Amino acid sequence: MKNLPMIVRVAGGLLFVTYLWGMAAHGAELAASRNQLLAAFVLNFAKFTSWQGAKFKAQAEGASIQIAVAGDADFAEKLTEVVKARAADAKPSFQVSSASMESLKSANIVVSLYGEEDKNLDILKKLKGCQCLTVTFQEGLASKGSVINFYTEDDKFRFEINLSKSKSENLEISSLLLKLGKVIP
Amino acid sequence: MRNFICASSFIFFFIVFHAPLLFAASNNPAEISDLDLESLMNVKIEGATLEKYSLAEAPATVTVFTSKDIQRIGARSLIDVLNLIPGLSVATDTQGVLGIAVRGMWAHEGKTLLLIDGEEMNELSFNTFPLGNNFPIDTIERIEFIKGPGSAVHGGYAELATINIITKSGKEVDGIVLNGNYGQMQRTYGERNGGIGFGKSFQNWDVSSYFSAGEGHQSDREYTDSQGSKFDFRDNGKADPIYANLGVDGYGLHLKGIYTRYKMTDRTAYGTNTIRAFDDVFEGIHLGAKYEVRPISTLSVVPEFHFHQNKVWNETDDSAKAVAQLFYDTLVQEYRGGISTRWQPLQNLVAYFGVEGRIQNATDRAPGSVFKNGLTKISYYRNAVFSELNWNPEFANFSAGGRYESQNIGGGQIVPRLSVTKAWGGLHSKLIYSWGFRQPGVENLRFNPALKPELTKVAEAEVGYQWNKFILSNLNLYNVTLDRPIIYNYSGTTQSYRNASMAGTYGFETALLGNFQWFDFNLNYSYFKTRASEPTDYAVPDHPETLLGMANHKVGMNANVRLWDQYTRLNLSNTFYSKRFGYEYNAALGAMKIKDFSEAFLVNAYLEREHFFFDGLSAGLGVFNILNQDFRYIQPYNGSHPSVPSPSREVVAKAEYKIHL
């Protein structure tokens, strides 16, 4: 230790002080994996959305809310895990389905997470008029037909809501959701 | 020293591989999903999928560094990032300027394209970009290092590699950002830079701006020239940057303006020390505009225009006139325009087509100096047409394309590009065969108007496997051949360029990447060997397996460990370079002689804290070159210039404050 140059000793001391300072400044805060957090958001969206027509009827009768995932098998797996981990009597109940086009059209919520924009746009195009709450995670998709589009800011999820698209799909989005998200007219 | 290195390595690996055990913890999925929406908005995302995973099917060998990666390693400049990438290294040119080497090949002059926000940053005289305390690192959102020719897409400078830098958009900044860094070497400061940026996204518009300025020293060590004369870099090796970047995006319109000024002071000249240090200025203005039009949903058309102006190696000090070949004042302007189209007739078929033209006007403002035409002004024209077809059926992804580019003096060149990639579950593979080329630049042609474009042929194969959600490994084999390489030489009195017959290397790069909730790591190794017929300028006598200034073996290690919360992280990195060779002054001989430079370990540690005291403030403190290795940047050709020193052990402090508006 005595052989170390002064500058290294000073730097070491500063590192230690920084650690202590940092510890004092903040305690541990909650964090979650990307898929875990995304799943929690998607399940929450269902609580703040009302569907019309047949999907409204199913929602009113307490049927499970159908969520279909396309483009990310890992997320589908995590979402299924999260849904299974919920209490048996938790309302609303959810059912996660595969990514066939039939299941997408009949779903209440469609999460399209392809890496390629073209594939996401293709899904959005095919779902036009199906009264689905479409959820994506790619820059610019909220203005290209997705109802809710995620983005990140300071390592936290944020979302934008395409209000006119939600109206054209006969979806009623609650004011809380509109307050927390960035509304695109 | 050996014991110290062993001990350091042991501690490094101990921390890397035991961190998950020390800090293991997890959140219950049910607990997270039970949170209400407002609470979820405050939960941080951890263990995001590696960016590299999405590149498994990209038709290129790509390494990505995000702003988060850069922040975590505490990088002082691009050099700290390059050190961690397999197959890339840094060497010295003349007048102390540092440049990049790719896969054992000196790739400084016209062989590597540097893009910042789509603007070509290579200067227009020699087509280089000086590394060092240049191009602010903290404004970068993402860097893509693409090895292998990109000429078919990007044109002449992307012969061996492309560095694509994307800076932070207005949406990402979302307010005002202030940042600064200070580095203290053993005998003087390494750099002291500060910057301010503003960025905001308004409806469909995005505005970003950033300005920075600073001072630095290239090193604080002693240098010995080719005659045995010495000087101290502490008093003679300044590196002072100024940088500004302004961008506006909206409704398909993209406007960009970048200004760079990098002032070095130099006494090394061409290997014989000058009597005092002279200012050596690199200055560039880059303006660009492009506009995306979609006449139908499957077709995108992008017309674009760029203006670029450069002064490089600018030495206009009156006393520099007394030193032969130092007084230099040439201004080059380039106007570049083109149209590119993207057409997707089928879901799995995309076609690209484009045309491009550029005019370069050079003016020599040094008294009495003229170009080969006998005038102080000269113009060059280049025209290009390029196309690429991407077909992605279920069983594989095929890409075929090419570019034809002609220059009014250097002649024409066609370069094809073919690739097949496929990912099956966790396994991915790539086969790439591509050509690249380098059109001689304004100053290359001044020295030798008969120069022809050099041609590079690269064959690559890559296989990678994602073992689970957290671990990825890959192996890349390559073979690089340069036909008619343009070689620079300085004989001690005159400079010259010529087309040699052939050069090339072959080798492999392998990497193991891990990304866990509590730590991530990157271990990589690269190896190259020289091909048979090398130009004598690059060759090492009695060592045909290697090239001047290049390490045949390179190991990069980086580990980032989360400490007591997600805002505090410790980064440890080490770059190992095997033995290298270069020409140095030999006191016994009284002349330059080949010398072997022993192995080097560049070990760094950096502690980073986000939300330091209050939201928006991040700070970090680190030590670079902990072992205080006397690492030298070697001239990679026999040009009479001894190696230049790198910074000694350096303590670095960085801080950034963001104000959201």
Side-chain angles (χ1 to χ4, degrees):
Chain A
M1 191 71 178
K2 283 180 182 174
N3 295 330
L4 286 176
M6 174 61 75
I7 198 159
V8 177
R9 278 183 273 170
V10 170
L14 284 171
L15 277 171
F16 185 66
V17 171
T18 311
Y19 270 104
L20 296 179
W21 229 339
M23 283 179 76
H26 278 272
E29 295 186 41
L30 200 52
S33 75
R34 176 247 199 206
N35 283 347
Q36 198 176 335
L37 196 51
L38 203 56
F41 267 101
V42 170
L43 299 188
N44 261 280
F45 289 157
K47 297 175 190 169
F48 300 101
T49 306
S50 299
W51 285 263
Q52 308 296 315
K55 288 176 181 175
F56 167 71
K57 194 179 168 192
Q59 188 187 26
E61 290 172 355
S64 295
I65 289 178
Q66 306 287 321
I67 307 175
V69 179
D72 190 335
D74 285 346
F75 173 67
E77 190 183 313
K78 174 57 75 178
L79 184 61
T80 306
E81 183 191 326
V82 170
V83 166
K84 280 182 183 167
R86 297 176 80 231
D89 56 349
K91 294 292 176 187
S93 62
F94 296 96
Q95 193 174 341
V96 182
S97 61
S98 64
S100 72
M101 190 43 71
E102 280 311 306
S103 69
L104 294 183
K105 285 183 175 173
S106 61
N108 298 80
I109 302 174
V110 174
V111 186
S112 183
L113 296 176
Y114 284 106
E116 303 89 345
E117 187 187 70
D118 296 339
K119 290 183 178 175
N120 288 321
L121 288 174
D122 188 49
I123 296 267
L124 295 174
K125 192 176 162 188
K126 287 174 178 162
L127 291 178
K128 197 172 177 185
C130 290
Q131 301 185 355
C132 299
L133 175 67
T134 46
V135 179
T136 53
F137 188 1
Q138 198 163 56
E139 191 174 350
L141 284 189
S143 53
K144 292 179 181 173
S146 176
V147 177
I148 294 181
N149 186 50
F150 281 105
Y151 61 97
T152 55
E153 191 177 270
D154 293 339
D155 284 348
K156 291 170 185 169
F157 277 126
R158 298 287 179 262
F159 55 89
E160 45 196 3
I161 303 169
N162 184 331
L163 200 55
S164 58
K165 179 66 182 170
S166 70
K167 284 177 182 166
S168 71
E169 294 293 334
N170 278 328
L171 299 170
E172 260 184 48
I173 308 282
S174 85
S175 56
L176 176 66
L177 208 54
L178 294 173
K179 186 179 145 197
L180 293 176
K182 178 181 171 185
V183 175
I184 294 177
Chain B
M1 175 56 78
R2 192 173 291 277
N3 290 341
F4 187 56
I5 292 169
C6 290
S8 303
S9 302
F10 175 78
I11 292 167
F12 179 89
F13 283 108
F14 182 88
I15 292 173
V16 166
F17 294 106
H18 293 79
L21 301 177
L22 294 171
F23 298 106
S26 67
N27 293 307
N28 184 332
E31 287 171 12
I32 294 295
S33 65
D34 288 343
L35 293 176
D36 62 37
L37 213 44
E38 282 173 303
S39 304
L40 285 173
M41 301 287 280
N42 292 315
V43 180
K44 274 225 162 191
I45 309 160
E46 278 201 344
T49 311
L50 285 171
E51 291 276 1
K52 294 88 186 172
Y53 292 173
S54 62
L55 302 170
E57 292 185 273
T61 306
V62 188
T63 305
V64 175
F65 267 72
T66 64
S67 61
K68 194 61 76 181
D69 298 326
I70 294 165
Q71 187 181 329
R72 285 177 177 176
I73 65 175
R76 296 163 293 179
S77 72
L78 273 178
I79 292 176
D80 286 333
V81 181
L82 293 173
N83 274 335
L84 295 173
I85 298 177
L88 301 184
S89 57
V90 176
T92 191
D93 194 5
T94 59
Q95 295 172 266
V97 169
L98 303 180
I100 189 172
V102 178
R103 291 170 165 168
M105 301 295 304
W106 176 230
H108 175 55
E109 196 168 341
K111 291 183 175 69
T112 304
L113 171 66
L114 175 66
L115 292 169
I116 296 184
D117 297 333
E119 299 301 316
E120 292 180 356
M121 302 306 291
N122 296 59
E123 45 87 2
L124 298 165
S125 295
F126 300 89
N127 311 139
T128 67
F129 52 89
L131 294 169
N133 189 27
N134 195 5
F135 310 119
I137 194 97
D138 294 315
T139 184
I140 293 172
E141 177 59 26
R142 175 186 170 92
I143 316 178
E144 296 167 357
F145 296 90
I146 306 161
K147 281 172 277 182
S151 302
V153 180
H154 297 297
Y157 307 142
E159 186 187 2
L160 289 177
T162 303
I163 301 174
N164 185 23
I165 292 177
I166 296 128
T167 63
K168 289 174 181 164
S169 67
K171 187 175 176 182
E172 279 142 2
V173 175
D174 192 32
I176 294 170
V177 62
L178 300 163
N179 51 32
N181 64 317
Y182 181 86
Q184 179 66 41
M185 297 185 287
Q186 291 197 297
R187 297 172 59 234
T188 187
Y189 64 89
E191 56 278 314
R192 47 189 189 200
N193 303 326
I196 179 168
F198 167 77
K200 198 69 190 166
S201 185
F202 310 94
Q203 298 290 341
N204 289 317
W205 290 97
D206 187 281
V207 179
S208 62
S209 61
Y210 183 78
F211 173 81
S212 67
E215 289 184 300
H217 283 98
Q218 299 160 58
S219 179
D220 57 347
R221 295 186 193 274
E222 197 173 67
Y223 167 83
T224 305
D225 78 352
S226 60
Q227 313 293 318
S229 167
K230 297 177 189 296
F231 73 80
D232 193 336
F233 255 77
R234 179 183 61 173
D235 309 316
N236 296 279
K238 290 294 299 296
D240 304 341
I242 298 175
Y243 172 90
N245 185 326
L246 176 66
V248 178
D249 286 273
Y251 294 100
L253 180 68
H254 171 91
L255 301 172
K256 178 60 66 178
I258 299 172
Y259 172 77
T260 59
R261 188 173 194 273
Y262 185 48
K263 187 177 86 173
M264 303 170 67
T265 53
D266 176 63
R267 279 190 68 185
T268 67
Y270 298 94
T272 304
N273 291 345
T274 51
I275 195 158
R276 66 170 180 84
F278 292 99
D279 287 349
D280 208 357
V281 177
F282 291 75
E283 188 179 61
I285 297 170
H286 310 256
L287 303 172
K290 59 183 176 183
Y291 182 58
E292 183 181 4
V293 187
R294 281 184 175 265
I296 53 175
S297 64
T298 55
L299 179 67
S300 157
V301 182
V302 181
E304 58 188 287
F305 175 78
H306 303 265
F307 170 75
H308 182 178
Q309 175 178 298
N310 262 136
K311 286 189 290 186
V312 296
W313 269 285
N314 197 250
E315 294 200 2
T316 53
D317 189 317
D318 276 347
S319 53
K321 285 178 188 171
V323 186
Q325 302 179 69
L326 271 191
F327 192 92
Y328 181 73
D329 186 15
T330 297
L331 180 79
V332 188
Q333 294 176 321
E334 180 184 84
Y335 302 88
R336 176 164 63 94
I339 296 179
S340 58
T341 59
R342 179 186 185 276
W343 181 45
Q344 187 173 13
L346 301 171
Q347 183 64 35
N348 60 6
L349 187 70
V350 181
Y352 297 90
F353 176 77
V355 291
E356 184 185 276
R358 61 177 83 198
I359 302 168
Q360 292 178 340
N361 298 320
T363 306
D364 193 335
R365 306 187 294 192
S369 179
V370 292
F371 291 102
K372 280 289 177 186
N373 58 4
L375 303 173
T376 55
K377 290 179 186 289
I378 197 164
S379 296
Y380 294 102
Y381 309 94
R382 291 185 196 176
N383 296 304
V385 54
F386 55 93
S387 181
E388 188 172 284
L389 193 67
N390 294 338
W391 181 43
N392 307 318
E394 288 294 319
F395 54 93
N397 304 304
F398 298 92
S399 177
R403 180 185 187 100
Y404 174 76
E405 184 166 314
S406 69
Q407 188 190 50
N408 60 328
I409 289 185
Q413 187 64 59
I414 187 162
V415 286
R417 175 179 172 79
L418 300 167
S419 72
V420 183
T421 66
K422 177 62 185 167
W424 303 268
L427 185 70
H428 80 262
S429 65
K430 300 178 182 183
L431 287 172
I432 305 167
Y433 182 69
S434 52
W435 290 17
F437 67 98
R438 171 192 167 193
Q439 291 279 13
V442 168
E443 293 296 348
N444 307 142
L445 290 166
R446 185 208 291 254
F447 287 104
N448 183 357
L451 283 176
K452 296 293 175 197
E454 65 183 21
L455 185 64
T456 297
K457 297 167 184 170
V458 177
E460 288 182 78
E462 181 176 300
V463 61
Y465 189 67
Q466 189 177 325
W467 299 90
N468 53 43
K469 287 179 183 174
F470 314 109
I471 303 278
L472 170 72
S473 59
N474 64 45
L475 172 69
N476 178 279
L477 310 172
Y478 65 85
N479 184 27
V480 181
T481 307
L482 269 77
D483 288 338
R484 302 188 306 258
I486 298 171
I487 307 283
Y488 168 77
N489 185 264
Y490 181 70
S491 65
T493 52
T494 54
Q495 302 177 74
S496 66
Y497 284 93
R498 72 176 202 282
N499 285 108
S501 59
M502 202 195 95
T505 59
Y506 62 94
F508 68 92
E509 294 147 358
T510 185
L512 179 68
L513 312 171
N515 190 5
F516 297 88
Q517 189 171 9
W518 291 86
F519 91 120
D520 55 70
F521 68 87
N522 180 342
L523 297 175
N524 59 64
Y525 168 71
S526 51
Y527 168 79
F528 85 89
K529 194 172 179 188
T530 312
R531 290 174 60 82
S533 328
E534 280 305 320
T536 51
D537 313 67
Y538 294 165
V540 179
D542 303 324
H543 289 277
E545 75 286 358
T546 193
L547 293 167
L548 286 172
M550 304 297 156
N552 289 86
H553 307 269
K554 179 186 173 186
V555 180
M557 297 184 275
N558 191 65
N560 190 275
V561 185
R562 174 181 153 171
L563 300 178
W564 46 84
D565 63 28
Q566 69 266 35
Y567 298 120
T568 312
R569 304 191 74 104
L570 177 66
N571 198 87
L572 301 166
S573 65
N574 178 23
T575 303
F576 165 78
Y577 287 103
S578 65
K579 189 162 68 175
R580 299 168 299 154
F581 295 88
Y583 284 94
E584 288 287 277
Y585 176 75
N586 184 296
L589 205 62
M592 295 283 277
K593 189 188 174 194
I594 196 76
K595 174 191 171 181
D596 59 336
F597 291 74
S598 59
E599 296 84 353
F601 292 86
L602 302 178
V603 182
N604 311 319
Y606 187 75
L607 176 71
E608 180 217 359
R609 173 76 194 174
E610 288 183 81
H611 301 280
F612 193 52
F613 290 117
F614 44 88
D615 283 349
L617 180 64
S618 304
L621 190 65
V623 185
F624 287 73
N625 191 6
I626 292 173
L627 303 181
N628 200 23
Q629 300 255 289
D630 185 7
F631 186 75
R632 298 270 161 166
Y633 298 117
I634 302 167
Q635 191 174 48
Y637 52 89
N638 187 3
S640 309
H641 197 305
S643 65
V644 297
S646 67
S648 62
R649 181 189 295 121
E650 183 173 350
V651 177
V652 174
K654 298 179 82 169
E656 180 171 278
Y657 182 49
K658 281 183 185 173
I659 306 161
H660 288 292
L661 300 175

